């Protein structure tokens, strides 16, 4: 990467770090200053290998040890202190739960080094459950775990390895870590830089994690297998059989614009679960939908989390098990839609032909891009302002553009758009990024979805077929608008692998036509 790109990347990462640390500080004071507040008790727990984990415990009012209460364990998010969940912990305790929140190893006042949801983090979670069952009036038959982001992933991994965990709420978590930050064999560099910088500022990185991030940034293909193996060890999808055997009740909630853990990998993981399950997607970016609830504000993500635990840990007949398990909120409207499964979301499709033959040059950003990590999707969430591009003005030397006709009625895009085309490269490696835009009468395109794709080892001049899933979404295209597919080769969100002077040709052979398949809600 060139120096200007590195400077922009550092600026983006530091902006996200600042927001993270401000939020972390606002969520609570240091434990010593909070020690006398309400029924909160601050404790030290010996984690794996004796590593000290800082934790807090909130018990139901009047709990005297004469009876047991369901237990909920909350591992903290990446870079957040253990008071992160205090508002929700108190709410859950008021509903009759023993709640234990702990700072994961390597961050803030807990000991050890960052394990990135590795074996030490999984073992820590089991130690925390052991401690809670021995030192609080919690019921060993009714244990749940929940968390936001990092805490969500650790909760799923812990449940796979510990059958005592009967229910999980994974909020803005991941099912497949590699498919999150390396989808399409392309490094999601802004997302990785945010995680890396937060880990450096708020925690203590291990030598292993530093080595992995360095290999990731350097695009060292000789280390690719090692990076993938490292990520698979930290992916709940790797332990899916164990989760299904345990019968864990799993609720997953995420955001359409999540730039850390895009929705596709979560949906794919959800579909393979066989136990009780629920999947929710809303507008926003990583953890932005859950954030108000951390400050004690009304929040439907946390409300559904409590309902999930009330049913699967307390046994309350609150109806959550009879609702449609897949719940989606469009980026364009305010209501929720229910579906019996994820496949039903994608059931109806419309194909837009990608006709003709188009050649583009690489190494230049055409003006179409996926925005800025966090900022762009938050603007879309709050003000319905996604990244935009003037489609007629995109330089065709660096961007391939195809458009549908005008739609007579509104088109409700729901699920995963799929691109199928034939690519002929002039070099053996390359990167392309596909964007789906909602184009208004004046030619202004609003981003609906995007995704990157990188290839290595192809024969120059020899065409190959490409199938690419764009990031899943829910977006309403107004009547009178068009859909446009744009493909270019540079996007600040991703590391690109185009040799200088390379070109890509997109064609549509008669025996294998090119198209973008757009999923639509049944009209």
């Amino acid at each position: 990467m060139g120096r200007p790109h590195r400077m922009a990347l550092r600026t983006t990462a530091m902006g996200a770090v600042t927001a993270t640390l401000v939020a972390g500080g606002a969520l609570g004071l240091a434990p010593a200053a909070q020690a006398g507040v309400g029924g909160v008790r601050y404790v030290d727990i010996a984690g794996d290998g004796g590593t000290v984990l800082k934790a807090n415990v909130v018990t139901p009012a009047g709990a005297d040890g004469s009876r047991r209460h369901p237990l909920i364990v909350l591992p903290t998010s990446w870079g957040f202190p253990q008071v992160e969940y205090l508002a929700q912990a108190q709410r859950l305790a008021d509903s009759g739960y023993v709640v234990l929140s702990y700072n994961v190893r390597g961050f803030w006042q807990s000991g050890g080094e960052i394990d990135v949801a590795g074996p030490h983090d999984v073992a820590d979670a089991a130690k925390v459950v052991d401690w809670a069952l021995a030192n609080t009036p919690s019921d060993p038959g009714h244990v749940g775990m929940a968390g936001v982001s990092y805490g969500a992933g650790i909760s799923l991994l812990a449940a796979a390895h510990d059958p005592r965990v009967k229910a999980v709420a994974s909020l803005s978590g991941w099912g497949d870590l590699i498919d999150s930050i390396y989808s399409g064999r392309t490094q999601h560099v802004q997302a990785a830089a945010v995680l890396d910088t937060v880990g450096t500022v708020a925690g203590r990185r291990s030598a292993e994690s530093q080595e992995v991030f360095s290999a990731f940034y350097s695009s060292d293909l000789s280390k690719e297998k090692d990076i993938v193996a490292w990520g698979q060890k930290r992916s709940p999808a790797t332990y899916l059989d164990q989760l299904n055997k345990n019968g864990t009740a799993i609720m997953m909630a995420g955001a359409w614009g999540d730039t850390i853990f895009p929705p596709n990998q979560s949906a794919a993981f959800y579909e393979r679960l066989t136990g009780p399950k629920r999947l929710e997607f809303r507008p926003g970016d990583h953890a932005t939908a859950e954030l108000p609830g951390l400050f004690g504000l009304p929040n439907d993500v946390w409300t559904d989390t409590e309902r999930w635990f009330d049913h699967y840990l307390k046994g309350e007949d609150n109806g959550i098990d009879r609702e449609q398990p897949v719940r989606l909120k469009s980026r364009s409207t305010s209501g929720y839609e229910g579906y019996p499964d994820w496949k039903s979301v994608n059931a109806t499709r419309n194909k837009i032909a990608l006709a003709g033959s188009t050649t583009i040059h690489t190494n230049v950003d055409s003006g179409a891009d996926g925005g800025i990590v966090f900022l762009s999707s938050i603007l879309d969430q709050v003000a319905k302002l996604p990244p935009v591009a003037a489609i007629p003005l995109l330089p065709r030397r660096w961007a391939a553009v195809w458009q549908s006709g005008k739609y007579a009625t509104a088109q409700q895009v729901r699920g995963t758009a799929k691109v199928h085309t034939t690519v002929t490269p002039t070099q053996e490696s390359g990167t392309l990024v596909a964007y789906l835009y909602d184009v208004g009468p004046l030619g202004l395109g609003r981003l609906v979805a995007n995704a990157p794709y990188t290839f290595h080892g192809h024969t120059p001049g020899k065409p190959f077929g490409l199938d690419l899933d764009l990031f899943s979404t829910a977006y309403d295209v107004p009547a009178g608008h068009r859909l446009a597919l744009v493909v270019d080769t540079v996007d600040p969100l991703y590391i690109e692998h185009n040799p200088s002077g390379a070109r890509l040709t997109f064609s549509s052979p008669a025996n294998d036509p090119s198209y973008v398949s757009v999923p639509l809600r049944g009209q």
Side-chain angles (χ1 to χ4, degrees):
M1 291 182 289
R3 186 171 179 272
H5 188 89
R6 288 199 301 270
M7 292 178 64
L9 190 59
R10 286 198 297 268
T11 301
T12 300
M14 286 309 299
V17 170
T18 300
T20 299
L21 296 180
V22 168
L27 284 168
L29 304 175
Q34 291 275 332
V37 177
V40 182
R41 180 162 58 107
Y42 289 92
V43 300
D44 290 351
I45 297 175
D48 187 40
T51 297
V52 174
L53 305 174
K54 297 292 184 176
N56 57 60
V57 182
V58 188
T59 53
D64 57 6
S66 60
R67 68 183 185 92
R68 296 287 177 174
H69 301 267
L71 167 68
I72 296 178
V73 174
L74 304 169
T76 52
S77 303
W78 185 270
F80 276 70
Q82 85 249 32
V83 290
E84 173 186 7
Y85 301 114
L86 206 52
Q88 288 302 322
Q90 189 62 64
R91 179 186 177 95
L92 289 165
D94 290 342
S95 297
Y97 295 94
V98 172
V99 186
L100 191 156
S101 173
Y102 72 97
N103 222 120
V104 293
R105 66 169 53 224
F107 283 105
W108 294 86
Q109 294 172 314
S110 285
E113 296 177 327
I114 299 170
D115 195 34
V116 197
H120 294 301
D121 282 315
V122 173
D124 284 345
K127 293 286 189 180
V128 169
V129 172
D130 291 343
W131 187 95
L133 296 178
N135 294 278
T136 71
S138 50
D139 185 345
H142 297 86
V143 177
M145 290 189 68
V148 175
S149 183
Y150 195 41
I154 290 175
S155 294
L156 285 172
L157 290 162
H161 290 83
D162 190 341
R164 294 177 299 179
V165 180
K166 304 300 183 184
V168 168
S170 170
L171 313 181
S172 289
W174 70 92
D176 187 324
L177 186 59
I178 291 299
D179 198 35
S180 295
I181 61 173
Y182 194 51
S183 71
R185 210 177 175 186
T186 309
Q187 298 99 319
H188 296 207
V189 67
Q190 284 192 12
V194 168
L195 295 174
D196 192 18
T197 308
V198 171
T200 301
V201 173
R204 297 170 299 282
R205 298 191 303 162
S206 66
E208 180 187 35
S209 67
Q210 292 183 54
E211 182 179 344
V212 168
F213 274 105
S214 295
F216 184 85
Y217 293 136
S218 67
S219 304
D220 186 348
L221 286 178
S222 70
K223 299 289 183 65
E224 185 179 40
K225 288 184 179 180
D226 294 337
I227 293 173
V228 170
W230 177 88
Q232 288 175 337
K233 185 185 294 185
R234 290 158 169 80
S235 296
T238 301
Y239 312 100
L240 189 77
D241 289 345
Q242 292 171 231
L243 279 168
N244 288 336
K245 180 181 178 181
N246 293 344
T248 315
I250 296 174
M251 170 183 154
M252 303 178 69
W256 295 121
D258 194 324
T259 44
I260 307 294
F261 304 127
N264 300 45
Q265 49 83 32
S266 291
F269 174 74
Y270 169 86
E271 278 292 88
R272 296 172 61 201
L273 291 169
T274 59
K277 58 184 180 178
R278 183 179 178 92
L279 178 67
E280 302 181 353
F281 284 127
R282 300 171 174 85
D285 205 311
H286 184 64
T288 60
E290 302 90 340
L291 186 61
L294 296 179
F295 293 94
L297 301 174
N299 183 263
D300 51 358
V301 185
W302 286 103
T303 296
D304 285 350
T305 295
E306 185 172 351
R307 292 177 64 225
W308 189 253
F309 286 135
D310 284 348
H311 180 74
Y312 288 103
L313 294 184
K314 287 184 179 180
E316 290 185 5
D317 185 14
N318 56 17
I320 197 167
D321 58 319
R322 296 188 295 274
E323 295 173 359
Q324 295 273 43
V326 176
R327 288 174 53 81
L328 312 180
K329 187 175 183 180
S330 169
R331 292 159 52 197
S332 309
T333 57
S334 58
Y336 284 90
E337 304 162 5
Y339 298 83
D341 50 38
W342 180 249
K343 287 185 292 186
S344 299
V345 179
N346 294 272
T348 303
R349 290 186 168 272
N350 177 49
K351 286 185 178 180
I352 301 170
L354 308 180
S357 179
T358 303
T359 297
I360 61 173
H361 294 248
T362 63
N363 309 118
V364 173
D365 190 339
S366 71
D369 63 56
I372 300 172
V373 65
F374 289 126
L375 178 60
S376 297
S377 291
I378 292 174
L379 282 174
D380 187 39
Q381 175 186 1
V382 174
K384 294 182 169 56
L385 293 174
V388 298
I391 304 303
L393 300 181
L394 292 175
R396 283 359 186 218
R397 179 180 176 85
W398 295 297
V401 180
W402 300 266
Q403 296 193 71
S404 71
K406 290 184 180 180
Y407 294 110
T409 59
Q411 304 292 296
Q412 296 178 310
V413 179
R414 299 290 186 273
T416 310
K418 298 175 178 288
V419 176
H420 173 75
T421 189
T422 296
V423 182
T424 304
T426 60
Q427 302 287 339
E428 62 92 20
S429 293
T431 296
L432 59 90
V433 186
Y435 311 87
L436 188 66
Y437 283 101
D438 160 25
V439 185
L442 299 179
L444 186 66
R446 297 162 64 93
L447 187 64
V448 177
N450 79 101
Y453 181 87
T454 293
F455 60 89
H456 296 288
H458 281 270
T459 303
K462 183 178 181 179
F464 66 90
L466 182 152
D467 289 286
L468 175 62
D469 288 357
L470 304 189
F471 298 137
S472 304
T473 194
Y475 181 97
D476 296 355
V477 179
H481 285 213
R482 306 171 187 266
L483 280 171
L485 184 77
V486 176
V487 179
D488 71 2
T489 62
V490 176
D491 190 309
L493 288 173
Y494 313 113
I495 290 179
E496 52 97 3
H497 300 262
N498 296 297
S500 179
R503 298 182 304 280
L504 301 175
T505 297
F506 302 92
S507 57
S508 183
N511 63 343
D512 187 19
S514 296
Y515 59 82
V516 56
S517 173
V518 181
L520 300 174
R521 187 183 182 195
Q523 303 295 308

